[in-house]
Amino acid sequence: QVQLRESGGGLVQVGGSLRISCAASAGALNTYTIAWFRQVPGKEREFVAAVSRSGDIKKISWAMQGRFTISRDSAKNTVSLQMNGLKPEDTAAYYCAVRQSPYQNAVWYDESDYQFWGQGTQVTVSS
C-alpha cells in the first residue's frame, strides 16, 4: 500500500504559476509510474501528466503542453507538477496517482490503470 499526499494547491491569478507536489508516505516510488489527473465537479477525471519509472519518459496532455512540466525526485520520493500560464479552465482538484510498473519507460493515461491515489489538492485560477 502506498499513501500519497499532495501539497501546494491554492488560489492564483490568470497567467500565474503554481507548483504542486506529491509525496509518498512509505516506500520508494522508483518502481512506480506516477501521474497527475484533475477533476472538476460533475466531470470525469482528466489526465494531466505522467512520468515513467526511469524519469526519461514524460507525457503532458496536449491541452497543457508548453505550460505544465512534470518531474520526479527519487531521492526525496516526490513528484511535482509545475504549472505556468494558468487559465481559469485549469481550476480543478489535482490528484497524484501511481501504478507499479515492470517497465522503466512505460506510462499510462487512463485513471483505471493507476492503483493508488492521493486525496487531491485544489487549484483555483481567478480571472
Side-chain angles (χ1 to χ4, degrees), residues 7 10 12-13 15 35 37 41 53 65 69 80:
S7 62
V12 63
Q13 291 187 336
F37 288 79
R53 276 182 56 185
Q65 285 181 4
T69 304
S80 297

Short mmCIF file of all heavy atoms in Angstrom, two decimals, residues 7 10 12-13 15 35 37 41 53 65 69 80:
data_model
loop_
_atom_site.label_atom_id
_atom_site.label_comp_id
_atom_site.label_asym_id
_atom_site.label_seq_id
_atom_site.Cartn_x
_atom_site.Cartn_y
_atom_site.Cartn_z
N SER A 7 0.38 18.47 -2.13
CA SER A 7 0.50 19.75 -1.47
C SER A 7 0.78 20.83 -2.51
O SER A 7 1.16 20.52 -3.64
CB SER A 7 1.63 19.72 -0.42
OG SER A 7 2.87 19.46 -1.04
N GLY A 10 -3.72 26.01 -4.36
CA GLY A 10 -4.13 27.30 -3.83
C GLY A 10 -4.79 28.15 -4.89
O GLY A 10 -5.20 27.66 -5.94
N VAL A 12 -4.60 31.31 -7.51
CA VAL A 12 -3.62 32.04 -8.31
C VAL A 12 -4.37 32.81 -9.39
O VAL A 12 -5.45 32.40 -9.83
CB VAL A 12 -2.58 31.07 -8.91
CG1 VAL A 12 -3.23 30.08 -9.85
CG2 VAL A 12 -1.45 31.82 -9.59
N GLN A 13 -3.79 33.90 -9.82
CA GLN A 13 -4.43 34.71 -10.86
C GLN A 13 -4.11 34.15 -12.24
O GLN A 13 -3.12 33.44 -12.43
CB GLN A 13 -3.96 36.15 -10.75
CG GLN A 13 -4.49 36.87 -9.51
CD GLN A 13 -4.15 38.35 -9.52
OE1 GLN A 13 -3.20 38.80 -10.16
NE2 GLN A 13 -4.96 39.13 -8.80
N GLY A 15 -2.64 33.56 -15.66
CA GLY A 15 -1.29 33.80 -16.13
C GLY A 15 -0.22 33.50 -15.11
O GLY A 15 0.98 33.50 -15.44
N ALA A 35 1.49 9.70 -12.07
CA ALA A 35 0.70 10.58 -12.93
C ALA A 35 -0.05 11.61 -12.11
O ALA A 35 -0.26 11.45 -10.90
CB ALA A 35 -0.29 9.76 -13.74
N PHE A 37 -3.74 13.68 -12.39
CA PHE A 37 -5.05 13.84 -13.01
C PHE A 37 -5.72 15.05 -12.35
O PHE A 37 -5.31 15.49 -11.28
CB PHE A 37 -5.92 12.60 -12.78
CG PHE A 37 -5.49 11.40 -13.57
CD1 PHE A 37 -4.41 10.61 -13.14
CD2 PHE A 37 -6.15 11.02 -14.72
CE1 PHE A 37 -4.01 9.50 -13.87
CE2 PHE A 37 -5.77 9.91 -15.45
CZ PHE A 37 -4.69 9.15 -15.02
N PRO A 41 -15.93 19.26 -10.49
CA PRO A 41 -17.20 18.64 -10.07
C PRO A 41 -18.16 18.45 -11.24
O PRO A 41 -18.35 19.36 -12.06
CB PRO A 41 -17.75 19.64 -9.06
CG PRO A 41 -16.54 20.29 -8.49
CD PRO A 41 -15.56 20.40 -9.63
N ARG A 53 9.00 5.25 -14.66
CA ARG A 53 9.89 4.87 -13.57
C ARG A 53 11.27 5.49 -13.74
O ARG A 53 11.87 5.96 -12.78
CB ARG A 53 10.04 3.34 -13.55
CG ARG A 53 8.98 2.58 -12.84
CD ARG A 53 9.30 1.10 -12.87
NE ARG A 53 10.62 0.82 -12.30
CZ ARG A 53 11.17 -0.38 -12.31
NH1 ARG A 53 10.53 -1.38 -12.89
NH2 ARG A 53 12.35 -0.58 -11.78
N GLN A 65 0.35 21.20 -22.85
CA GLN A 65 1.74 21.20 -23.33
C GLN A 65 2.24 22.62 -23.48
O GLN A 65 1.54 23.50 -23.93
CB GLN A 65 1.82 20.45 -24.65
CG GLN A 65 1.73 18.94 -24.48
CD GLN A 65 1.84 18.20 -25.79
OE1 GLN A 65 2.05 18.79 -26.85
NE2 GLN A 65 1.70 16.89 -25.73
N THR A 69 4.84 21.09 -16.58
CA THR A 69 6.01 20.22 -16.58
C THR A 69 5.94 19.28 -15.40
O THR A 69 5.64 19.72 -14.28
CB THR A 69 7.30 21.05 -16.49
OG1 THR A 69 7.34 22.01 -17.54
CG2 THR A 69 8.53 20.15 -16.59
N SER A 80 6.55 16.33 -8.85
CA SER A 80 6.00 17.68 -8.86
C SER A 80 5.40 18.01 -10.22
O SER A 80 5.79 17.43 -11.24
CB SER A 80 7.09 18.71 -8.53
OG SER A 80 7.59 18.51 -7.23
#
